[in-house]
């Protein structure tokens, strides 16, 4: 698997996690909005050029890690994030 670097970009009441894959100019994204003390994942997008490398999973893992470290809970309007929570029942306590 290619090296994937995740960065977080806060824009006040919204933001996104970006996945940068070594050797590619394409960027995967997981966008979120603030809702009270929580973050609501709104969309996950991984271009086909960097798909199949676990990029979307890494984006969700970054959101989950920040929720644990910063104490917020995660809501979702994103089908991929919903599916990730179903695959990881140990994350249930982080759901808003």
């Amino acid at each position: 698997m290619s090296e994937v670097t995740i960065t977080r970009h806060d824009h006040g009441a919204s933001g996104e996690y970006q996945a940068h894959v070594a050797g590619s100019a394409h960027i995967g994204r997981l966008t979120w909005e603030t809702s009270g003390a929580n973050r609501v994942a709104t969309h996950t997008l991984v271009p086909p050029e960097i798909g199949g490398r676990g990029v979307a999973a890494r984006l969700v893992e970054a959101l989950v890690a920040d929720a644990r470290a910063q104490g917020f809970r995660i809501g979702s309007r994103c089908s991929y994030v919903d599916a990730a929570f179903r695959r990881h029942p140990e994350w249930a306590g982080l759901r808003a």
Side-chain angles (χ1 to χ4, degrees):
M1 181 165 135
S2 300
E3 182 181 339
V4 178
T5 303
I6 305 295
T7 58
R8 185 182 71 233
H9 304 268
D10 295 325
H11 308 292
S14 65
E16 68 181 19
Y17 293 87
Q18 294 182 357
H20 305 270
V21 176
S24 177
H26 298 280
I27 299 171
R29 291 179 165 81
L30 186 159
T31 58
W32 55 268
E33 298 173 353
T34 300
S35 177
N38 302 321
R39 288 189 186 165
V40 178
T42 55
H43 189 68
T44 303
L45 173 67
V46 176
E49 293 84 358
I50 58 171
R53 304 172 198 199
V55 172
R58 293 281 308 276
L59 288 163
V60 178
E61 289 166 1
L63 175 64
V64 167
D66 280 354
R68 287 182 173 140
Q70 298 173 23
F72 62 83
R73 296 181 70 167
I74 301 168
S76 177
R77 293 193 312 256
C78 171
S79 60
Y80 185 85
V81 172
D82 289 338
F85 268 88
R86 284 192 301 273
R87 285 190 304 275
H88 293 277
E90 69 274 18
W91 296 348
L94 297 173
R95 282 304 289 251

